[in-house]
Amino acid sequence: MPRYLAAKAVEHATNLDWSRRKLAEFRDKDLPHYKLLDRLEAQLADDAQTLRGIELALSEPAMRWVAEKACFTLNANLRDLSEHYIAGLLQQGKEELRWRQLLLKTAHRIGLTWIEDILVRLDRDLSIIPARHRDHSIPVFFAPPNQHLSVLSLPGIFHEFGHCVVSKHREIVFALEETVAEYFDSERHKLGPMLPAQRAKRLRQIDDAATYWDEHRLVEVFCDVFASYTCGAVNVLSMVDLSRANTMDPYAVDCDYPPHATRISVSYLALSAEQQKGAGVSEVWSDWQHMAARLTVTNEYKAFCPDALVVRLATRCVELIG
């Protein structure tokens, strides 16, 4: 183990030196990401201190566990720096910088004024890294290179910005968890007289349904509502398109994400009454309901995503945004 840790320390020292040189090269290119470079250089200075601590700990056998833990942390930091940030900075061409400018303006227009810069990477599906080491000011935004050609997927940009909101305001997650807990507590209290075995079975079903709504699924619901709230009715069409393009049953609950049927519903419920009455929205919603009516709604879906809970979640999300 001491030899392994010593070898890792040498590897990290080499990686730190390489990372410093790359950041210096980006400075010379006069990219507009100077705030990001400031933060990355500050992180490298902290990482250098961590490396010195590892080297000192290696000389004391009793402190090698400290060196091992610090080595793991440093390895994660440098991998994140290389895979997400240096790789992204290497790709900064005209298209990425155009998207950066557009996304920054959009973020500020919808109230995300804490965002100071955005690193855009046009090399994968829509997604976002909303924060780095509790710093929410410079997200990394991913999109496919043909993103500008897909009108129906544009509301997904607002969905991703929703992740920035949740990442910064963790109280949103706690509020949604409370909403779920209150709903299923009320379901427990509604249980009438029944045999002990039947009661135990029903309580297990309620517990399973409550457990289904973990943080990841609640965050996705919030981001869907956030997209409708900020982007408008077109998000409902976007969510229907997402479901139609996906071969998964819209009522399936065996996925890390909420079922498509639930995501479409909360997106629609997030709209104002006036927006819901709009010709385009009412038509899309009606078509979706007719299509969904031809499918089998499983008992699992009814238990995990009852209409009353879906309405409560959508309503609570709108309240939290407003």
Side-chain angles (χ1 to χ4, degrees):
M1 184 61 72
R3 289 184 179 180
Y4 165 77
L5 291 175
K8 289 299 291 184
V10 172
E11 177 186 310
H12 290 330
T14 303
N15 204 331
L16 276 168
D17 184 58
W18 176 82
S19 298
R20 289 192 198 96
R21 292 199 309 272
K22 297 308 293 183
L23 295 187
E25 290 176 12
F26 297 137
R27 288 279 190 194
D28 292 339
K29 290 182 179 179
D30 198 28
L31 293 172
H33 298 292
Y34 57 92
K35 290 183 179 179
L36 173 59
L37 291 172
D38 287 344
R39 285 165 173 75
L40 296 179
E41 287 168 350
Q43 182 218 307
L44 285 180
D46 291 341
D47 289 341
Q49 291 277 28
T50 301
L51 180 59
R52 281 192 284 274
I54 293 172
E55 292 168 344
L56 289 172
L58 283 174
S59 62
E60 297 290 336
M63 295 296 291
R64 282 175 188 156
W65 68 273
V66 176
E68 185 173 356
K69 184 177 179 180
C71 207
F72 175 82
T73 300
L74 186 54
N75 190 70
N77 285 350
L78 292 173
R79 184 176 65 248
D80 174 63
L81 173 64
S82 175
E83 292 181 1
H84 295 137
Y85 294 90
I86 291 179
L89 287 164
L90 283 168
Q91 298 175 6
Q92 294 303 285
K94 291 181 180 179
E95 287 300 311
E96 287 80 4
L97 295 177
R98 285 195 195 99
W99 270 105
R100 169 188 175 271
Q101 187 175 21
L102 174 63
L103 292 172
L104 270 175
K105 289 180 178 178
T106 302
H108 293 166
R109 182 174 62 81
I110 62 176
L112 280 60
T113 54
W114 64 84
I115 294 180
E116 301 176 13
D117 190 11
I118 298 176
L119 180 63
V120 176
R121 295 184 54 174
L122 302 176
D123 59 0
R124 67 179 76 171
D125 288 340
L126 271 176
S127 57
I128 200 167
I129 300 175
R132 187 171 186 279
H133 296 183
R134 295 184 295 278
D135 180 357
H136 301 86
S137 63
I138 308 177
V140 182
F141 196 98
F142 300 92
N146 64 341
Q147 177 63 49
H148 63 292
L149 301 176
S150 179
V151 176
L152 290 180
S153 69
L154 284 177
I157 291 172
F158 294 83
H159 172 100
E160 299 307 328
F161 277 135
H163 284 285
C164 293
V165 176
V166 179
S167 179
K168 183 173 175 62
H169 298 286
R170 292 287 301 160
E171 62 271 19
I172 290 172
V173 176
F174 306 144
L176 294 179
E177 288 175 340
E178 183 179 11
T179 299
V180 171
E182 288 174 351
Y183 174 80
F184 286 110
D185 278 345
S186 70
E187 290 299 295
R188 294 183 184 95
H189 292 146
K190 289 178 184 177
L191 294 179
M194 60 181 66
L195 294 173
Q198 292 177 321
R199 176 175 291 274
K201 180 180 179 181
R202 180 64 185 129
L203 287 173
R204 283 196 302 272
Q205 291 172 338
I206 293 174
D207 289 343
D208 289 344
T211 302
Y212 172 80
W213 286 103
D214 57 17
E215 178 177 330
H216 176 71
R217 293 188 177 100
L218 289 173
V219 168
E220 290 300 320
V221 162
F222 175 84
C223 293
D224 291 334
V225 170
F226 185 81
S228 284
Y229 190 92
T230 54
C231 183
V234 68
N235 185 56
V236 179
L237 176 57
S238 177
M239 294 305 300
V240 171
D241 177 64
L242 176 66
S243 178
R244 296 291 295 270
N246 194 304
T247 57
M248 183 176 292
D249 182 345
Y251 293 111
V253 297
D254 55 348
C255 175
D256 292 337
Y257 289 80
H260 283 295
T262 296
R263 299 184 65 182
I264 292 170
S265 291
V266 297
S267 298
Y268 175 77
L269 292 167
L271 300 176
S272 68
E274 183 178 354
Q275 288 175 314
Q276 290 178 358
K277 292 175 184 175
V281 180
S282 59
E283 182 179 344
V284 169
W285 181 246
S286 177
D287 287 348
W288 160 251
Q289 288 184 310
H290 280 110
M291 187 193 76
R294 297 196 298 268
L295 303 174
T296 301
V297 183
T298 65
N299 289 331
E300 244 185 345
Y301 180 86
K302 293 176 183 177
F304 291 0
C305 308
D307 290 344
L309 174 61
V310 172
V311 170
R312 286 196 192 187
L313 285 173
T315 302
R316 189 67 179 117
C317 287
V318 171
E319 292 171 351
L320 291 166
I321 296 168

